[in-house]
Amino acid sequence: MIKTILLILLGLFFILNGINHIVNTHIYEEYSVKRGLVSPRLMVQLSSIVLIFDGATLMFNFLIRYGVIGLSIFLIIASFSLHQFWKEKDNQLKLLESMHFAKNMAILTELIYIAYS
């Protein structure tokens, strides 16, 4: 029962983030341009689809392993291409990016645990 509730909440987290990518595409696109991402607008749009679809797999307990794989790939790509704290010169930006990187790695660890439990 607890696992089901937690999966629903985690799925909802990803779905809401995907919706946020759609609603605030311009903000995510600007951030992606600053980070040197290839085709920033397309990447933001694709990431919103991945977040919503794969979040739904967790929320509805359907094809969870595929959802975990998709979200894991997304988190790895986002972490290493967008949150490169090791390249930041400004200490505040370095701290902010390192927190985003660490958050993504924590969520990735949780997803791997879900896939194998």
Side-chain angles (χ1 to χ4, degrees):
M1 178 71 164
I2 295 287
K3 183 179 178 181
T4 302
I5 293 169
L6 293 175
L7 280 173
I8 290 169
L9 292 174
L10 185 60
L12 184 61
F13 167 81
F14 283 113
I15 291 169
L16 292 174
N17 275 291
I19 292 168
N20 192 31
H21 277 67
I22 293 169
V23 172
N24 296 304
T25 299
H26 61 286
I27 295 171
Y28 285 98
E29 185 179 2
E30 286 176 22
Y31 184 79
S32 298
V33 167
K34 288 179 186 175
R35 297 294 184 235
L37 202 63
V38 177
S39 302
R41 185 170 192 76
L42 177 62
M43 291 299 124
V44 171
Q45 292 168 341
L46 288 175
S47 67
S48 67
I49 293 167
V50 168
L51 290 167
I52 291 169
F53 176 78
D54 292 337
T57 68
L58 299 178
M59 191 171 189
F60 298 112
N61 200 13
F62 180 72
L63 301 173
I64 287 182
R65 288 207 184 212
Y66 292 107
V68 166
I69 291 168
L71 291 168
S72 297
I73 292 169
F74 167 79
L75 287 168
I76 290 167
I77 291 171
S79 298
F80 286 97
S81 64
L82 297 175
H83 304 304
Q84 299 176 356
F85 64 91
W86 54 91
K87 289 186 176 180
E88 291 296 335
K89 304 285 187 242
D90 179 83
N91 284 337
Q92 286 183 330
L93 286 176
K94 184 179 285 227
L95 178 62
L96 182 65
E97 293 302 333
S98 67
M99 288 189 311
H100 283 301
F101 187 91
K103 170 202 48 122
N104 285 356
M105 292 300 107
I107 295 170
L108 177 63
T109 303
E110 181 180 0
L111 288 170
I112 293 169
Y113 176 78
I114 288 168
Y116 290 100
S117 65

